[in-house]
Amino acid sequence: MSHYDSVLFYRQALVAQHKKESEQLENIKKVGHAYMNIGNVHYQLGRYKEALDNYNESLSYYNSINYNKGIVGCYNNIGTIFEEQNDFNTAIDYYKQSLNINLELENSRDLGTIYNNIGEIYLKQSDLKNALEYFNKSLKYKGKTNDKKGVSAVYSNIALVYFEQNEYEKATSMLDKALKIDFQIDDKVGVAEDLNYLAKIKLKKGNYPDAVDMAKRSLYISNSINTPRQSKESHRLLSLGYEQMGDLQEALDHHKQYKDLEDQLFNKEKHKQIQELEKKYQTERNLQKITKQEAELEEQKILLQHQKTLKYVFFAGVVVLMVIITLIYYSFRQKRRDNRLLRQQTEEIEAQNEELQQQNEEIAAQRDELEQQRDIAHTQKNAIETKNDAITHSIQYAKSIQAALLPQNYYIAKLINDYFIFFKPETLVSGDFYW
Protein backbone atom coordinates (compact mmCIF):
# COMPACT_ATOMS: atom_id res chain seq x y z
CA MET A 1 0.00 0.00 0.00
CA SER A 2 1.44 3.39 -1.00
CA HIS A 3 1.76 6.36 1.34
CA TYR A 4 -0.99 8.15 -0.65
CA ASP A 5 -3.35 5.16 -0.31
CA SER A 6 -2.74 5.08 3.45
CA VAL A 7 -3.60 8.76 3.86
CA LEU A 8 -6.72 8.32 1.72
CA PHE A 9 -7.86 5.37 3.83
CA TYR A 10 -7.35 7.34 7.08
CA ARG A 11 -9.41 10.22 5.71
CA GLN A 12 -12.24 7.93 4.63
CA ALA A 13 -12.25 6.28 8.06
CA LEU A 14 -12.44 9.67 9.82
CA VAL A 15 -15.30 10.82 7.56
CA ALA A 16 -17.24 7.63 8.29
CA GLN A 17 -16.66 8.02 12.02
CA HIS A 18 -17.77 11.68 11.95
CA LYS A 19 -20.94 10.63 10.18
CA LYS A 20 -21.61 7.97 12.83
CA GLU A 21 -21.09 10.51 15.61
CA SER A 22 -23.53 12.94 13.93
CA GLU A 23 -26.15 10.20 13.73
CA GLN A 24 -25.58 9.35 17.38
CA LEU A 25 -26.05 13.02 18.41
CA GLU A 26 -29.34 13.11 16.51
CA ASN A 27 -30.47 9.91 18.24
CA ILE A 28 -29.67 11.37 21.68
CA LYS A 29 -31.56 14.55 20.79
CA LYS A 30 -34.60 12.52 19.72
CA VAL A 31 -34.58 10.57 22.98
CA GLY A 32 -34.50 13.89 24.86
CA HIS A 33 -37.47 15.15 22.81
CA ALA A 34 -39.42 11.98 23.58
CA TYR A 35 -38.92 12.35 27.34
CA MET A 36 -39.92 16.02 27.05
CA ASN A 37 -43.18 15.09 25.30
CA ILE A 38 -43.98 12.41 27.86
CA GLY A 39 -43.39 14.99 30.61
CA ASN A 40 -45.79 17.39 28.88
CA VAL A 41 -48.55 14.77 28.90
CA HIS A 42 -48.04 14.06 32.60
CA TYR A 43 -48.12 17.81 33.25
CA GLN A 44 -51.48 18.13 31.47
CA LEU A 45 -52.79 15.31 33.66
CA GLY A 46 -51.60 17.10 36.81
CA ARG A 47 -49.03 14.39 37.52
CA TYR A 48 -46.29 16.79 38.48
CA LYS A 49 -43.91 14.19 39.93
CA GLU A 50 -44.00 12.05 36.78
CA ALA A 51 -43.68 15.17 34.62
CA LEU A 52 -40.69 16.33 36.65
CA ASP A 53 -39.00 12.91 36.38
CA ASN A 54 -39.34 12.94 32.58
CA TYR A 55 -38.18 16.57 32.27
CA ASN A 56 -35.07 15.72 34.31
CA GLU A 57 -34.43 12.64 32.17
CA SER A 58 -34.75 14.81 29.05
CA LEU A 59 -32.40 17.36 30.60
CA SER A 60 -29.71 14.71 31.20
CA TYR A 61 -29.72 13.77 27.50
CA TYR A 62 -29.62 17.40 26.34
CA ASN A 63 -26.75 18.14 28.74
CA SER A 64 -24.75 15.18 27.39
CA ILE A 65 -24.61 16.84 23.93
CA ASN A 66 -24.76 20.50 25.09
CA TYR A 67 -28.06 21.09 23.25
CA ASN A 68 -28.87 24.52 24.70
CA LYS A 69 -32.28 24.93 23.08
CA GLY A 70 -33.51 21.73 24.70
CA ILE A 71 -31.87 22.60 28.04
CA VAL A 72 -33.66 25.98 28.11
CA GLY A 73 -36.98 24.27 27.37
CA CYS A 74 -36.47 21.82 30.26
CA TYR A 75 -35.60 24.59 32.71
CA ASN A 76 -38.71 26.56 31.71
CA ASN A 77 -40.99 23.52 32.04
CA ILE A 78 -39.54 22.54 35.42
CA GLY A 79 -39.92 26.15 36.60
CA THR A 80 -43.56 26.11 35.51
CA ILE A 81 -44.23 22.97 37.59
CA PHE A 82 -42.86 24.60 40.73
CA GLU A 83 -44.75 27.82 39.97
CA GLU A 84 -48.01 25.81 39.67
CA GLN A 85 -47.33 24.43 43.15
CA ASN A 86 -46.60 27.93 44.52
CA ASP A 87 -42.96 27.03 45.15
CA PHE A 88 -41.94 30.39 43.74
CA ASN A 89 -38.33 30.38 44.94
CA THR A 90 -37.52 27.10 43.19
CA ALA A 91 -39.39 28.26 40.09
CA ILE A 92 -37.30 31.44 39.97
CA ASP A 93 -34.10 29.38 40.30
CA TYR A 94 -34.97 27.36 37.18
CA TYR A 95 -36.14 30.44 35.27
CA LYS A 96 -32.83 32.12 36.07
CA GLN A 97 -30.87 29.12 34.81
CA SER A 98 -32.82 29.41 31.56
CA LEU A 99 -32.14 33.15 31.63
CA ASN A 100 -28.36 32.66 31.91
CA ILE A 101 -28.24 30.38 28.87
CA ASN A 102 -30.35 32.80 26.82
CA LEU A 103 -27.99 35.62 27.84
CA GLU A 104 -25.06 33.61 26.46
CA LEU A 105 -27.00 32.97 23.25
CA GLU A 106 -28.13 36.63 23.10
CA ASN A 107 -31.69 35.46 22.41
CA SER A 108 -33.52 38.79 22.83
CA ARG A 109 -37.05 37.47 22.16
CA ASP A 110 -36.90 34.74 24.81
CA LEU A 111 -35.07 37.03 27.23
CA GLY A 112 -37.98 39.49 27.23
CA THR A 113 -40.45 36.70 28.06
CA ILE A 114 -38.30 35.13 30.80
CA TYR A 115 -37.67 38.49 32.50
CA ASN A 116 -41.44 39.13 32.45
CA ASN A 117 -42.19 35.67 33.91
CA ILE A 118 -39.73 36.19 36.76
CA GLY A 119 -41.21 39.64 37.39
CA GLU A 120 -44.72 38.16 37.64
CA ILE A 121 -43.55 35.65 40.26
CA TYR A 122 -42.00 38.45 42.32
CA LEU A 123 -45.30 40.34 41.97
CA LYS A 124 -47.18 37.29 43.31
CA GLN A 125 -44.77 37.28 46.26
CA SER A 126 -45.41 41.02 46.79
CA ASP A 127 -41.69 41.62 46.21
CA LEU A 128 -42.47 44.81 44.32
CA LYS A 129 -38.89 46.04 44.07
CA ASN A 130 -37.61 42.92 42.26
CA ALA A 131 -40.81 42.69 40.23
CA LEU A 132 -40.28 46.23 38.90
CA GLU A 133 -36.61 45.52 38.16
CA TYR A 134 -37.40 42.45 36.03
CA PHE A 135 -40.35 44.09 34.27
CA ASN A 136 -38.06 46.94 33.21
CA LYS A 137 -35.49 44.42 31.89
CA SER A 138 -38.27 42.64 30.02
CA LEU A 139 -39.38 45.96 28.54
CA LYS A 140 -35.88 46.55 27.18
CA TYR A 141 -35.78 43.26 25.25
CA LYS A 142 -39.43 43.41 24.16
CA GLY A 143 -38.62 46.77 22.61
CA LYS A 144 -35.57 45.37 20.83
CA THR A 145 -37.67 42.70 19.12
CA ASN A 146 -40.51 45.14 18.33
CA ASP A 147 -42.97 42.94 20.25
CA LYS A 148 -45.68 45.58 20.67
CA LYS A 149 -48.18 43.29 22.32
CA GLY A 150 -45.49 42.13 24.72
CA VAL A 151 -44.47 45.74 25.46
CA SER A 152 -48.09 46.62 26.23
CA ALA A 153 -48.38 43.64 28.61
CA VAL A 154 -45.21 44.68 30.45
CA TYR A 155 -46.49 48.26 30.78
CA SER A 156 -49.65 46.86 32.38
CA ASN A 157 -47.58 44.73 34.78
CA ILE A 158 -45.48 47.75 35.77
CA ALA A 159 -48.72 49.67 36.34
CA LEU A 160 -49.84 46.92 38.75
CA VAL A 161 -46.61 47.34 40.73
CA TYR A 162 -47.14 51.10 41.01
CA PHE A 163 -50.80 50.52 41.92
CA GLU A 164 -49.75 48.26 44.80
CA GLN A 165 -47.29 50.97 45.90
CA ASN A 166 -50.13 53.57 45.81
CA GLU A 167 -48.19 55.50 43.16
CA TYR A 168 -51.27 56.15 41.08
CA GLU A 169 -49.77 58.79 38.79
CA LYS A 170 -46.98 56.44 37.68
CA ALA A 171 -49.49 53.61 37.28
CA THR A 172 -51.69 55.87 35.12
CA SER A 173 -48.69 56.85 32.98
CA MET A 174 -47.85 53.19 32.32
CA LEU A 175 -51.46 52.35 31.46
CA ASP A 176 -51.64 55.31 29.07
CA LYS A 177 -48.62 53.89 27.23
CA ALA A 178 -50.17 50.42 27.13
CA LEU A 179 -53.47 51.87 25.94
CA LYS A 180 -51.75 53.76 23.13
CA ILE A 181 -50.05 50.58 21.86
CA ASP A 182 -53.25 48.52 22.14
CA PHE A 183 -55.06 51.10 20.01
CA GLN A 184 -52.24 50.95 17.45
CA ILE A 185 -52.33 47.16 17.11
CA ASP A 186 -56.16 47.08 17.44
CA ASP A 187 -56.06 44.84 20.53
CA LYS A 188 -59.61 45.49 21.76
CA VAL A 189 -59.31 43.10 24.71
CA GLY A 190 -56.16 44.91 25.81
CA VAL A 191 -57.90 48.30 25.45
CA ALA A 192 -60.87 47.13 27.56
CA GLU A 193 -58.55 45.82 30.29
CA ASP A 194 -56.45 49.01 30.29
CA LEU A 195 -59.58 51.17 30.65
CA ASN A 196 -60.79 49.04 33.56
CA TYR A 197 -57.40 49.40 35.28
CA LEU A 198 -57.59 53.16 34.79
CA ALA A 199 -61.13 53.15 36.25
CA LYS A 200 -59.81 51.33 39.35
CA ILE A 201 -57.14 54.00 39.80
CA LYS A 202 -59.73 56.76 39.44
CA LEU A 203 -61.89 55.09 42.10
CA LYS A 204 -58.90 54.85 44.45
CA LYS A 205 -58.21 58.56 43.94
CA GLY A 206 -61.89 59.45 44.54
CA ASN A 207 -62.43 60.74 40.98
CA TYR A 208 -65.72 58.89 40.52
CA PRO A 209 -67.04 60.62 37.34
CA ASP A 210 -63.83 59.81 35.46
CA ALA A 211 -63.89 56.27 36.84
CA VAL A 212 -67.46 55.82 35.54
CA ASP A 213 -66.44 57.26 32.17
CA MET A 214 -63.48 54.85 31.83
CA ALA A 215 -65.59 51.85 32.87
CA LYS A 216 -68.33 52.81 30.38
CA ARG A 217 -65.82 53.01 27.54
CA SER A 218 -64.39 49.62 28.52
CA LEU A 219 -67.92 48.14 28.73
CA TYR A 220 -68.79 49.42 25.25
CA ILE A 221 -65.69 47.78 23.74
CA SER A 222 -66.06 44.48 25.61
CA ASN A 223 -69.73 44.22 24.66
CA SER A 224 -68.85 44.86 21.01
CA ILE A 225 -66.39 41.98 20.96
CA ASN A 226 -68.34 39.76 23.35
CA THR A 227 -65.76 39.35 26.11
CA PRO A 228 -67.84 38.78 29.25
CA ARG A 229 -64.89 38.78 31.64
CA GLN A 230 -64.03 42.37 30.82
CA SER A 231 -67.75 43.32 30.76
CA LYS A 232 -68.21 41.81 34.21
CA GLU A 233 -65.35 43.88 35.63
CA SER A 234 -66.73 47.03 33.96
CA HIS A 235 -70.16 46.49 35.55
CA ARG A 236 -68.51 45.96 38.96
CA LEU A 237 -66.55 49.20 38.65
CA LEU A 238 -69.63 51.10 37.40
CA SER A 239 -71.64 49.83 40.36
CA LEU A 240 -68.96 51.08 42.77
CA GLY A 241 -68.62 54.41 40.96
CA TYR A 242 -72.38 55.16 40.86
CA GLU A 243 -72.70 54.14 44.49
CA GLN A 244 -70.06 56.67 45.50
CA MET A 245 -71.78 59.32 43.38
CA GLY A 246 -75.12 58.63 45.13
CA ASP A 247 -76.89 57.20 42.06
CA LEU A 248 -78.07 54.05 43.80
CA GLN A 249 -80.42 52.95 41.01
CA GLU A 250 -77.60 52.85 38.44
CA ALA A 251 -75.35 51.20 41.02
CA LEU A 252 -77.97 48.50 41.59
CA ASP A 253 -78.57 47.95 37.87
CA HIS A 254 -74.89 47.46 37.17
CA HIS A 255 -74.48 45.25 40.21
CA LYS A 256 -77.27 42.99 38.91
CA GLN A 257 -75.63 42.80 35.48
CA TYR A 258 -72.31 42.07 37.19
CA LYS A 259 -73.91 39.16 39.10
CA ASP A 260 -75.65 37.85 35.96
CA LEU A 261 -72.34 37.76 34.08
CA GLU A 262 -70.65 36.13 37.03
CA ASP A 263 -73.30 33.40 37.02
CA GLN A 264 -72.89 32.95 33.27
CA LEU A 265 -69.15 32.70 33.58
CA PHE A 266 -69.55 30.25 36.42
CA ASN A 267 -71.68 28.04 34.18
CA LYS A 268 -69.15 28.39 31.39
CA GLU A 269 -66.43 27.38 33.79
CA LYS A 270 -68.45 24.31 34.75
CA HIS A 271 -68.84 23.44 31.07
CA LYS A 272 -65.14 24.01 30.57
CA GLN A 273 -64.38 21.70 33.48
CA ILE A 274 -66.55 18.99 31.90
CA GLN A 275 -64.63 19.43 28.64
CA GLU A 276 -61.35 19.24 30.50
CA LEU A 277 -62.49 16.05 32.22
CA GLU A 278 -63.32 14.58 28.82
CA LYS A 279 -59.95 15.68 27.52
CA LYS A 280 -58.30 14.14 30.56
CA TYR A 281 -60.15 10.88 29.90
CA GLN A 282 -58.90 10.85 26.32
CA THR A 283 -55.40 11.60 27.53
CA GLU A 284 -55.61 8.74 30.00
CA ARG A 285 -56.38 6.42 27.12
CA ASN A 286 -53.29 7.67 25.32
CA LEU A 287 -51.20 7.13 28.44
CA GLN A 288 -50.99 3.43 27.62
CA LYS A 289 -49.36 4.37 24.34
CA ILE A 290 -46.92 6.55 26.25
CA THR A 291 -46.05 3.64 28.52
CA LYS A 292 -45.22 1.65 25.43
CA GLN A 293 -43.14 4.56 24.16
CA GLU A 294 -41.21 4.61 27.44
CA ALA A 295 -40.36 0.94 26.92
CA GLU A 296 -39.17 1.77 23.43
CA LEU A 297 -37.05 4.55 24.88
CA GLU A 298 -35.34 2.04 27.13
CA GLU A 299 -34.54 -0.03 24.05
CA GLN A 300 -33.23 3.13 22.39
CA LYS A 301 -30.97 3.77 25.39
CA ILE A 302 -29.57 0.25 25.06
CA LEU A 303 -29.05 0.88 21.35
CA LEU A 304 -27.16 4.11 22.09
CA GLN A 305 -24.92 2.26 24.54
CA HIS A 306 -24.31 -0.39 21.91
CA GLN A 307 -23.39 2.33 19.42
CA LYS A 308 -20.85 3.72 21.88
CA THR A 309 -19.30 0.27 22.25
CA LEU A 310 -19.13 -0.10 18.47
CA LYS A 311 -17.47 3.30 18.25
CA TYR A 312 -14.72 2.22 20.66
CA VAL A 313 -14.24 -1.05 18.76
CA PHE A 314 -14.04 0.92 15.51
CA PHE A 315 -11.37 3.23 16.93
CA ALA A 316 -9.37 0.26 18.21
CA GLY A 317 -9.61 -1.41 14.80
CA VAL A 318 -8.45 1.74 13.04
CA VAL A 319 -5.46 2.06 15.38
CA VAL A 320 -4.45 -1.58 14.84
CA LEU A 321 -4.85 -1.19 11.10
CA MET A 322 -2.75 1.97 11.08
CA VAL A 323 0.03 0.15 12.99
CA ILE A 324 -0.04 -2.76 10.53
CA ILE A 325 0.04 -0.46 7.51
CA THR A 326 2.91 1.55 9.01
CA LEU A 327 4.93 -1.62 9.64
CA ILE A 328 4.34 -2.79 6.07
CA TYR A 329 5.34 0.60 4.70
CA TYR A 330 8.61 0.77 6.64
CA SER A 331 9.35 -2.85 5.83
CA PHE A 332 8.89 -2.08 2.15
CA ARG A 333 11.29 0.85 2.36
CA GLN A 334 13.83 -1.31 4.15
CA LYS A 335 13.58 -3.94 1.46
CA ARG A 336 14.20 -1.35 -1.23
CA ARG A 337 17.35 -0.25 0.57
CA ASP A 338 18.41 -3.88 0.81
CA ASN A 339 17.89 -4.34 -2.93
CA ARG A 340 20.11 -1.37 -3.72
CA LEU A 341 22.82 -2.78 -1.45
CA LEU A 342 22.53 -6.17 -3.11
CA ARG A 343 23.01 -4.63 -6.56
CA GLN A 344 26.17 -2.88 -5.36
CA GLN A 345 27.48 -6.10 -3.86
CA THR A 346 26.73 -7.97 -7.12
CA GLU A 347 28.85 -5.52 -9.15
CA GLU A 348 31.75 -5.87 -6.68
CA ILE A 349 31.85 -9.68 -6.63
CA GLU A 350 31.23 -10.49 -10.34
CA ALA A 351 34.68 -12.03 -10.52
CA GLN A 352 33.97 -14.41 -7.67
CA ASN A 353 31.60 -17.01 -9.18
CA GLU A 354 31.13 -19.09 -6.09
CA GLU A 355 30.25 -16.08 -3.95
CA LEU A 356 28.09 -14.66 -6.75
CA GLN A 357 26.06 -17.90 -6.89
CA GLN A 358 25.54 -17.76 -3.12
CA GLN A 359 24.46 -14.12 -3.27
CA ASN A 360 22.07 -14.88 -6.15
CA GLU A 361 20.45 -17.55 -4.00
CA GLU A 362 20.10 -15.03 -1.16
CA ILE A 363 18.56 -12.49 -3.51
CA ALA A 364 16.11 -15.11 -4.80
CA ALA A 365 15.12 -15.97 -1.22
CA GLN A 366 14.56 -12.30 -0.39
CA ARG A 367 12.53 -11.89 -3.59
CA ASP A 368 10.32 -14.78 -2.52
CA GLU A 369 9.86 -13.18 0.89
CA LEU A 370 8.85 -9.90 -0.73
CA GLU A 371 6.30 -11.69 -2.92
CA GLN A 372 4.98 -13.49 0.13
CA GLN A 373 4.54 -10.14 1.94
CA ARG A 374 2.81 -8.75 -1.14
CA ASP A 375 0.42 -11.72 -1.09
CA ILE A 376 -0.27 -11.10 2.62
CA ALA A 377 -1.05 -7.45 1.94
CA HIS A 378 -3.36 -8.49 -0.93
CA THR A 379 -5.12 -10.99 1.39
CA GLN A 380 -5.60 -8.27 4.03
CA LYS A 381 -7.06 -5.97 1.40
CA ASN A 382 -9.55 -8.66 0.35
CA ALA A 383 -10.51 -9.20 4.01
CA ILE A 384 -11.22 -5.49 4.45
CA GLU A 385 -13.37 -5.45 1.31
CA THR A 386 -15.28 -8.51 2.61
CA LYS A 387 -15.96 -6.75 5.92
CA ASN A 388 -17.17 -3.64 4.09
CA ASP A 389 -19.57 -5.81 2.06
CA ALA A 390 -20.86 -7.41 5.31
CA ILE A 391 -21.46 -3.98 6.87
CA THR A 392 -23.36 -2.85 3.76
CA HIS A 393 -25.53 -5.99 3.87
CA SER A 394 -26.22 -5.36 7.58
CA ILE A 395 -27.39 -1.83 6.84
CA GLN A 396 -29.62 -3.13 4.04
CA TYR A 397 -31.04 -5.69 6.48
CA ALA A 398 -31.66 -2.94 9.07
CA LYS A 399 -33.50 -0.99 6.39
CA SER A 400 -35.74 -4.00 5.73
CA ILE A 401 -36.44 -4.38 9.46
CA GLN A 402 -37.33 -0.71 9.76
CA ALA A 403 -39.64 -0.90 6.75
CA ALA A 404 -41.37 -3.90 8.31
CA LEU A 405 -41.87 -2.10 11.64
CA LEU A 406 -43.33 1.10 10.24
CA PRO A 407 -47.15 1.11 9.76
CA GLN A 408 -48.41 0.85 6.20
CA ASN A 409 -50.24 3.75 4.54
CA TYR A 410 -53.45 1.78 4.07
CA TYR A 411 -53.59 1.08 7.82
CA ILE A 412 -53.04 4.73 8.76
CA ALA A 413 -55.69 5.76 6.20
CA LYS A 414 -58.24 3.65 8.10
CA LEU A 415 -57.60 5.71 11.24
CA ILE A 416 -56.90 9.21 9.92
CA ASN A 417 -58.65 10.84 6.97
CA ASP A 418 -56.33 13.78 6.40
CA TYR A 419 -52.65 13.08 6.94
CA PHE A 420 -49.27 13.01 5.35
CA ILE A 421 -45.95 11.40 6.28
CA PHE A 422 -42.57 13.00 5.57
CA PHE A 423 -40.05 10.22 5.98
CA LYS A 424 -36.70 10.76 4.29
CA PRO A 425 -33.71 8.93 5.81
CA GLU A 426 -30.39 10.67 5.38
CA THR A 427 -28.83 7.38 4.24
CA LEU A 428 -30.41 3.92 4.04
CA VAL A 429 -31.67 3.69 7.62
CA SER A 430 -33.48 6.39 9.60
CA GLY A 431 -33.63 6.91 13.37
CA ASP A 432 -37.31 7.82 13.14
CA PHE A 433 -40.17 5.46 13.95
CA TYR A 434 -43.60 6.98 13.53
CA TRP A 435 -46.69 5.34 14.98
Side-chain angles (χ1 to χ4, degrees), residues 31 133 168 171 208 220 262 274 292 301 331 394 397:
V31 173
E133 177 185 346
Y168 302 128
Y208 305 122
Y220 176 80
E262 190 171 47
I274 293 172
K292 182 179 178 182
K301 288 166 67 176
S331 176
S394 296
Y397 186 68

Side-chain angles (χ1 to χ4, degrees), residues 420-432:
F420 75 94
I421 296 171
F422 181 79
F423 180 74
K424 186 176 181 182
E426 182 179 354
T427 55
L428 292 176
V429 181
S430 170
D432 295 322

